[in-house]
Amino acid sequence: MPVESGSSASSRQAKQKRKSHSLSIRRTNSTEQERTGLQREMLEGQDSKLPLSLRSNLLDLFGQIEREFENLYIENIESSHSTSQLSQKLKTTYKASTSKIVSSFKATTSRAVCQLVKEYVGHRDGIWDLSVTRTQPMVLGTASADHSAMLWSIETGKCLLKYLGHAGSASGDQTAHIWRYMVQLPTPQPVADISQTPCDDDIDFSDKDDAEGDGDGPNECPSIRVSSTTLRSHQGVVIAADWLVGGKQVVTASWDRAANLYDVETSELVHSLTGHDQELTHCCTHPTQRLVVTSSRDTTFRLWDFRDPSIHSVNVFQGHTDTVTSAVFTVGDNVVSGSDDRTVKVWDLKNMRSPIATIRTDSAVNRISVSVNQRIIALPHDNRQVRLFDMSGVRLARLPRSNRQGHRRMVCCSAWCEDNSSCNLFSCGFDRQAIGWNINIPALLQEK
């Protein structure tokens, strides 16, 4: 008995398939002819302003279009089976590759450790700004909307001094005060063993109100109300201040759209730095040179050069689309600016035409800080998060925040203190507390 080969069988199936397809088209064509005849008879009995010949041509065209769609429909049905198989294969392939990518990210972030070490609670209102002394003894300073400024022991979290000399929130009385006080640091107590928390594994559960308690702080905290020097001349809220290198001059930034440079010994106004179109938000001085950078709500920041006593140059930089909340110097030749436009930009002082790196985030950025040794940027956000990036814009970590720890309101400011062994990063916010963090910098840099 003769056996039919595989090739002849497949060719026969293809012929039968084409034959059935042509038969279906013939049936369709005959049906279409009957349908077209009926439609023409109906058109002759209808009122229309179009000529009958034109109406007939339109019917023929629409009939051809319908037949084309019918042919496409038949071809789609025949190819649907093979398409579903291809789709399933693609899903399987991409699912496997995506799983590898996700697992690699989890392995990276799990080794970057950021630990909450100390909470500094005592202010009655939001904390706008904080900083750490540049010389020994190292203490933490905070400025609050409750009209007070406080000095804290970094190791114990104890309030060392409360300054009550201002008549308004922060420097809402349009003045800047310089005051002196001999600080006696308490004996550090053993730090409780807090479990280490991976930076990116915390889930945001908290939507609590202010920090618990009334924020009275320790009753034994001494206070002073009289400053040794009062700097006047501003016509608006003084929002920031910084020491010029050498410690003999101070620069202040105000909502009156100006920054002032004062002589500390005489309290006299040396220079008034004007030019911004809207309120200033921050000012910062270079750690080793007579340079000042001011930021403003006018979306710009300005670089003021006092290195030459006879020439005081200024440069304007327009790299943001919203309020520039802060601009700070690094130890090298860089300026880092943060903005309400949710970006942070890194600039080279030698060529400020365009940023050398841009960091894009999901929330407005407030007063940033850059570590001295490793140049890590700490970004405090409106959404209660604090993130760490390197100077090239690579994200290193997110500080842990949950219903048990971290900030509960907008984070206003950050400050590095790499010389301190227990807390090397500080942050403060509208939740009336400052937080001391221990950042495992070697682990962060190892993952780059």
Side-chain angles (χ1 to χ4, degrees):
M1 181 177 179
V3 179
E4 187 176 20
S5 64
S7 60
S8 60
S10 60
S11 62
R12 179 177 296 177
Q13 290 178 357
K15 289 180 181 178
Q16 291 177 351
K17 192 174 185 179
R18 286 196 298 270
K19 185 176 181 181
S20 61
H21 184 60
S22 61
L23 288 174
S24 64
I25 292 176
R26 290 196 192 98
R27 295 194 194 98
T28 303
N29 291 339
S30 61
T31 306
E32 280 299 318
Q33 292 174 359
E34 296 175 358
R35 189 184 307 167
T36 304
L38 291 174
Q39 289 176 346
R40 287 177 177 171
E41 293 177 0
M42 293 176 63
L43 287 175
E44 291 176 355
Q46 293 179 357
D47 294 332
S48 175
K49 295 181 180 180
L50 295 175
L52 184 61
S53 59
L54 180 60
R55 296 167 66 187
S56 178
N57 289 335
L58 288 174
L59 282 175
D60 290 337
L61 291 174
F62 282 118
Q64 294 177 18
I65 293 173
E66 184 177 358
R67 286 192 296 273
E68 289 294 331
F69 274 105
E70 188 172 2
N71 294 337
L72 290 174
Y73 176 72
I74 293 172
E75 292 177 1
N76 287 334
I77 292 177
E78 293 173 353
S79 61
S80 62
H81 180 68
S82 59
T83 303
S84 62
Q85 290 180 342
L86 178 61
S87 176
Q88 185 64 32
K89 186 180 293 184
L90 289 173
K91 287 181 180 179
T92 306
T93 303
Y94 281 106
K95 187 175 181 181
S97 60
T98 305
S99 300
K100 292 180 181 178
I101 295 173
V102 172
S103 62
S104 66
F105 275 116
K106 289 182 178 179
T108 299
T109 57
S110 63
R111 291 191 291 269
V113 177
C114 307
Q115 184 179 0
L116 188 152
V117 177
K118 190 69 64 176
E119 294 178 341
Y120 305 88
V121 180
H123 282 291
R124 296 175 178 268
D125 207 338
I127 303 176
W128 286 96
D129 201 0
L130 87 169
S131 62
V132 182
T133 54
R134 300 174 183 175
T135 58
Q136 296 291 341
M138 284 190 178
V139 295
L140 174 68
T142 56
S144 170
D146 63 4
H147 304 187
S148 73
M150 288 187 178
L151 298 181
W152 306 83
S153 167
I154 293 177
E155 286 76 14
T156 65
K158 180 181 179 181
C159 176
L160 304 175
L161 177 69
K162 180 185 292 187
Y163 179 71
L164 302 171
H166 283 288
S169 172
S171 290
D173 56 8
Q174 304 180 4
T175 64
H177 294 184
I178 299 175
W179 37 279
R180 294 178 173 86
Y181 186 80
M182 294 298 295
V183 173
Q184 184 176 1
L185 297 178
T187 303
Q189 300 295 324
V191 180
D193 184 15
I194 304 175
S195 60
Q196 293 182 342
T197 309
C199 292
D200 285 335
D201 292 343
D202 294 275
I203 301 175
D204 186 0
F205 296 109
S206 175
D207 197 18
K208 294 183 178 181
D209 292 334
D210 299 323
E212 296 180 359
D214 295 331
D216 292 335
N219 296 327
E220 67 274 11
C221 179
S223 62
I224 57 175
R225 296 179 178 271
V226 180
S227 64
S228 59
T229 304
T230 300
L231 307 177
R232 309 178 189 275
S233 292
H234 281 296
Q235 303 301 316
V237 172
V238 179
I239 196 65
D242 201 1
W243 294 91
L244 208 63
V245 59
K248 295 182 179 181
Q249 291 179 325
V250 170
V251 62
T252 58
S254 172
W255 286 358
D256 63 6
R257 307 182 182 183
N260 288 342
L261 184 65
Y262 294 94
D263 184 273
V264 174
E265 293 184 2
T266 62
S267 304
E268 292 182 357
L269 177 64
V270 179
H271 293 288
S272 183
L273 313 180
T274 59
H276 282 290
D277 295 329
Q278 294 189 39
E279 295 91 336
L280 270 64
T281 57
H282 190 248
C283 65
C284 179
T285 60
H286 194 279
T288 59
Q289 303 182 58
R290 292 177 59 82
L291 298 172
V292 176
V293 62
T294 57
S295 53
S296 170
R297 291 184 59 190
D298 62 9
T299 73
T300 71
F301 66 94
R302 296 183 175 228
L303 177 63
W304 311 82
D305 191 345
F306 296 100
R307 288 176 292 186
D308 189 342
S310 60
I311 302 175
H312 304 140
S313 62
V314 57
N315 294 290
V316 183
F317 303 100
Q318 301 175 336
H320 292 282
T321 60
D322 205 338
T323 298
V324 181
T325 53
S326 64
V328 299
F329 292 101
T330 67
V331 174
D333 293 328
N334 296 111
V335 173
V336 183
S337 60
S339 172
D340 280 343
D341 64 8
R342 303 182 180 184
T343 66
V344 172
K345 300 191 176 185
V346 182
W347 309 79
D348 188 347
L349 280 174
K350 298 177 182 178
N351 183 10
M352 296 283 285
R353 294 182 180 179
S354 60
I356 59 177
T358 298
I359 301 170
R360 305 187 185 279
T361 68
D362 60 351
S363 179
V365 181
N366 296 309
R367 295 188 176 182
I368 60 179
S369 63
V370 183
S371 63
V372 175
N373 298 328
Q374 302 297 339
R375 300 205 301 170
I376 299 175
I377 312 170
L379 279 57
H381 289 287
D382 276 3
N383 65 358
R384 302 173 287 183
Q385 303 289 351
V386 180
R387 294 184 174 94
L388 305 180
F389 288 80
D390 67 7
M391 294 289 288
S392 61
V394 176
R395 174 175 161 172
L396 301 177
R398 174 177 63 84
L399 301 193
R401 206 199 77 79
S402 67
N403 59 343
R404 297 177 299 276
Q405 62 177 337
H407 287 286
R408 302 182 179 92
R409 286 291 179 267
M410 178 179 78
V411 189
C412 300
C413 182
S414 64
W416 285 95
C417 180
E418 293 174 281
D419 295 333
N420 189 276
S421 58
S422 59
C423 301
N424 55 3
L425 177 63
F426 299 89
S427 60
C428 66
F430 273 9
D431 54 2
R432 305 187 300 185
Q433 67 172 339
I435 297 178
W437 307 88
N438 183 270
I439 309 301
N440 190 343
I441 294 179
L444 293 180
L445 300 178
Q446 186 178 2
E447 301 298 335
K448 289 181 62 175

